[in-house]
Amino acid sequence: MNTLLQNNTGTYTIHPLTRIGRVALVVNDLQGQIDFYRQVLNLKVHWQTESEAGLGAGGEDFLHLTQNPTARRYPRTSGLYHFAVLFPNQRELARAIARLFTLRYPNYPTDHIMTKTTYLSDPEGNGIELYAESPEDGYWTLAEGHYITRRKDGSLSSGREPLDVEKLFSLLSPQDKLENPLPAETRIGHIHLHVSSLDPAVDFYHRFLGFDLMGQDQSIRMAFVSAGGYHHHIGLNTWQGEGAPPPPADAAGLQYFAIQLPEREEVERLKRHLISHTLPIQEVDNGFMVRDPSQNRILLTAAR
């Protein structure tokens, strides 16, 4: 069970089938990053040029890499906290984590009760979450402005328990080879962003982009927004510091992320809504770009 804190009551609500599309990163070493995502996370390279590449699970790209050898990382700025790869079931997550263990790649398996997950970073410091849904184990809700996680028996959880990896691995069979391709359903499930201030970010994603506000906890400086009742498509936090500036133009890291609406008319409907509120947009071939108050770039596009 997910608790909706506030449905969008304004003039626009984003379509419930909206989801997060591809994540675009600026990287220093394109081939090194391709090797990591291919060898460690088992992504497919869909296409590659001298300076760019698209990766995923064999369908649409869900990761776009652009090389800039002189780009650098800047601390204490807004931008990417992590992007989250959603597996279609816990067995496939188990296979992905087993691959990390076999390669001895550092990662941090965590039980959020309603999801099973592990956290890691790529070689250039971009945060990644791998996860699968487990709503049968419990849920989170919001009470008096604080996130509360309960197991299925009603008992309280921190929501950040160590994952029972052995139990997860018991889902695997001898036929689950670690080198088998990722299932085609694997995709980006959500993205979590560092923002400069929580209230303006929530206002932008809730009131202007039309996401539902699923929870906002000022004590941990974090909020979740989503479409269609999902626990969160976008996480927002101020963990880089209140008032954290956007990264400079020569920064490595998040270039943009895509919000994918189910059809072109929904993209046009959102564009008209934003224009009516005088928000600046940038037309691109497959949709349009906007920036949130922390200058994170967002591509609004339609599903193929």
Side-chain angles (χ1 to χ4, degrees):
M1 169 174 112
N2 297 335
T3 298
L4 175 65
L5 180 63
Q6 186 176 353
N7 191 19
N8 194 301
T9 57
T11 58
Y12 176 81
T13 299
I14 204 160
H15 195 284
L17 297 181
T18 298
R19 62 182 179 88
I20 302 302
R22 67 181 176 272
V23 173
L25 303 175
V26 175
V27 301
N28 293 121
D29 178 4
L30 179 63
Q31 191 57 53
Q33 289 289 82
I34 289 173
D35 290 345
F36 163 79
Y37 284 103
R38 184 173 55 83
Q39 296 170 7
V40 177
L41 295 192
N42 206 20
L43 270 61
K44 291 182 178 179
V45 180
H46 295 161
W47 58 272
Q48 182 179 354
T49 68
E50 185 176 336
S51 60
E52 294 183 84
L55 298 90
E60 293 184 11
D61 297 347
F62 60 68
L63 189 63
H64 183 184
L65 305 178
T66 300
Q67 178 168 268
N68 179 356
T70 64
R72 51 170 292 197
R73 300 195 73 86
Y74 290 86
R76 313 298 290 177
T77 64
S78 59
L80 181 69
Y81 175 48
H82 66 244
F83 65 88
V85 179
L86 174 61
F87 291 84
N89 53 60
Q90 292 181 56
R91 181 175 62 84
E92 290 296 340
L93 175 66
R95 195 159 63 89
I97 295 178
R99 187 183 183 94
L100 294 175
F101 278 32
T102 299
L103 295 171
R104 298 182 181 274
Y105 196 88
N107 68 108
Y108 305 93
T110 305
D111 191 346
H112 292 311
I113 304 302
M114 63 186 298
T115 64
K116 304 294 181 272
T117 186
T118 195
Y119 293 95
L120 64 151
S121 296
D122 73 16
E124 296 194 8
N126 297 295
I128 306 165
E129 178 182 355
L130 310 179
Y131 78 111
E133 307 288 354
S134 55
E136 67 279 3
D137 289 344
Y139 62 92
W140 66 261
T141 186
L142 200 84
E144 298 181 356
H146 299 286
Y147 287 110
I148 303 293
T149 303
R150 291 190 182 276
R151 303 180 187 90
K152 62 182 178 181
D153 63 3
S155 60
L156 288 172
S157 166
S158 68
R160 297 178 299 277
E161 299 179 9
L163 181 62
D164 187 340
V165 175
E166 292 303 319
K167 180 180 178 182
L168 187 71
F169 287 170
S170 72
L171 300 174
L172 296 173
S173 71
Q175 288 71 43
D176 291 308
K177 304 298 184 185
L178 301 187
E179 65 272 17
N180 286 351
L182 293 179
E185 306 95 317
T186 307
R187 59 182 175 85
I188 300 297
H190 66 265
I191 190 166
H192 199 146
L193 303 170
H194 293 302
V195 297
S196 61
S197 183
L198 203 55
D199 286 342
V202 168
D203 189 57
F204 174 82
Y205 286 99
H206 175 56
R207 185 160 65 96
F208 291 109
L209 292 192
F211 285 96
D212 293 328
L213 177 57
M214 301 303 292
Q216 182 171 348
D217 189 334
Q218 293 290 358
S219 66
I220 57 174
R221 299 178 293 157
M222 185 177 72
F224 286 159
V225 299
S226 81
Y230 191 57
H231 48 75
H232 70 298
H233 285 111
I234 302 171
L236 307 164
N237 73 68
T238 56
W239 299 338
Q240 292 298 317
E242 191 72 26
D250 65 341
L254 183 65
Q255 184 180 33
Y256 68 86
F257 72 96
I259 294 173
Q260 192 176 77
L261 292 98
E263 54 191 31
R264 182 70 190 184
E265 177 49 41
E266 290 297 324
V267 177
E268 293 300 317
R269 187 168 73 94
L270 175 53
K271 182 169 70 174
R272 292 192 297 269
H273 169 67
L274 296 180
I275 290 173
S276 74
H277 287 80
T278 67
L279 267 71
I281 68 168
Q282 176 191 354
E283 299 275 3
V284 295
D285 288 343
N286 52 349
F288 66 95
M289 289 272 193
V290 296
R291 292 179 183 264
D292 72 12
S294 301
Q295 300 305 300
N296 294 304
R297 295 178 68 220
I298 308 158
L299 169 64
L300 285 306
T301 189
R304 292 182 181 178

